[in-house]
Amino acid sequence: MATCPRGCTPAVRLCQRLNRLKTLEDDMMATSLKRCLSTLDLTLLGVGGMVGSGLYVLTGTVAKDMVGPAVIISFFFAGIASLLAAFCYAEFGARIPKTGSAYMFTYVSVGEIWAFLIGWNVILENMIGGAAVARAWSGYLDSIFNHSIQNFTETHIMQWNVPFLAHYPDLLAAGILIVASFFISFGVQVSSYLNHIFSVVSMGVILFILVFGFILAEPANWSQKEGGFAPFGLSGILAGSATCFYAFVGFDVIASSSEEAKNPQKAVPIATAISLGLAATAYILVSTVLTLMVPWHSLDPNSALADAFFRRGYSWAGVIVAIGSICAMNTVLLCNLFSLPRIVYAMAEDGLFFHIFARVNPVTKVPVNAILVFGVLMSIMALIFDLEALVQFLSIGTLLAYSFVAASVIVLRFQPDKSSSKGTVTTSPNPNAEPSPAPSESQTITEDSGELKQYESFSDKLQLVERQESRERRGVGQLRAYWEPYLGKLLGDCEPGEVVAFCVLTLIVSSVSLCVVLEFGTKQLQLPIWSFTVLLVIFISALVLSLALIWIHEPQTNSKTFQVPLVPLTPAASILINVFLMMKLSYLTWIRFSVWIAIGLFVYFGYGIWHSKEGMRALQPKDMAARYVVLPSGSLVETVQSVQPDGQVDTSAPHITPSTASTDEDYAGKR
């Protein structure tokens, strides 16, 4: 984080504190958790996190109330948008194998306040996901016993008619969450073994549904007599796509588990691709079977698949589906309870959340406090909230996290590698020692052999400057060579990555503006055709121009880990789709989201900003490092850099002072 010069206003200092970036460690594989998960474990975690939530919760709800049989297309659109986001998660999970998922990715590339808000929303996302699936789990079990559990609760315990709350307290859903939290606290291997068992049962039930369901399929259920294939039109399909994102939330559990993977560089991308492909295929095929078995308008939203077999006269098949779906939803519960405490742990470890949640059990190697506390909170949500309200609120947090991760990919791809500063020559306790150049002005300065060299003589320093200038010319985040003659005077003086960061901000603003005009321009805003067209042209032009300016800069080329293809097009497409789907959500969802954000800001400014480890790192005493630079006038000056105590150069606070040891006359005398 840049240090504020004397006379800097408090507002600027606050802005600097809010946007400070996380400093990564040298050894990315070092962790207090236990690295024991294989590629198969991560794949089954991803499948378990997705297959179950969409198949057994949303399929019937979205098909009956929002889309009809065209729920197939909604899942397809949601799958494409999730695939774009999955690429971004896979790159970060392989490159930064630390727990925290979207929170961690935003912290290292965008800034602290944004990372906290993303983490805050991911916490709610996982809590809602677990609570919603627990209520669906309870509903399926209740359907097996002809809703006797619900009737007993409403008659002998209590019921209420309050908006956004369930009609009765779901004690069964709360109980299963408490039991699942207890098992999760035993360690990652126990969680993985349980997930393996439930995933195998779930996949077996899915195969049964597909085979037997296609046998019972009746194409007449898609006819105009039953309302047609898309009774709610294109608007309903897009609105259903936004809600169907709930089905694909689970793949980010893979990135959250990267700190416990044996080989995250390879395992995370492979597991993400396989699990998302399997889940998307299952959703589309099962949705096809469900809407062909019975008319879409007669589906039971709480237990659509089991009820469909019951209504076709195969009660035994309905029982198998109900039992299998309970096993599938157990995997979703395990995945939500698995990833949630690790995100809380990552935020607490960075000082942005209460430190009690950063404690790791020395035996099980898991954050037990976070598991138990948030397991109880999740059970309370399942006890009182309605399933539909939970699901709609879930989508906005997911889409926001996807958008920030996509933006972070662009920023980090065109940003010089800060870890290279670890390899620079820094000051020793001897004040006469000369350190190497700061990485803010160049890449790591090493000899061709890879070994560091101390430059003692004045001629060596001059050779260093000349060699460094040739290397800086085409550094990461700078203009490509082809465009330098045309745009060098306009953009050449900007810091590496600075133009790209501004363009990413422009990309986000133009995407939001474009989607607002498309969604509300002709209806709520009632814009005339000419102004509607002009606004579309302006925002599309801004979006295309920002993409072009990003593309003409030099990206990082790291072949050691997975990288998102077609950057910045792929992340930009993900941002645009996510923002458009967010505009499809109801205004009540936005109101709830705003309230949750306000609570998060209260927590951050009340606790996080004062206990941030990055903030404490900035307050630590710093040594000074110096280097010699030849100015265009031919004079030699000394650049003074502040250096962290561990030897890492603070690249963001350089200031140049005339060197008393070497002046223009000294330079002429040397020649």
Side-chain angles (χ1 to χ4, degrees), residues 410 483 503-512 514 535-553 568-569 572-573 576:
I410 302 176
W483 297 99
C503 290
V504 170
L505 178 61
T506 304
L507 173 66
I508 295 174
V509 173
S510 59
S511 297
V512 173
L514 177 62
L535 289 177
L536 285 183
V537 171
I538 292 175
F539 295 136
I540 292 175
S541 300
L543 193 150
V544 173
L545 180 61
S546 62
L547 289 175
L549 288 176
I550 293 173
W551 178 78
I552 64 176
H553 287 78
L569 293 180
L576 188 61

Side-chain angles (χ1 to χ4, degrees), residues 41 44-45 48 191-199 331 334-335:
D41 296 329
L44 290 179
L45 276 175
S191 305
S192 180
Y193 292 152
L194 288 175
N195 182 70
H196 286 189
I197 295 172
F198 291 130
S199 294
T331 65
L334 290 174
C335 290

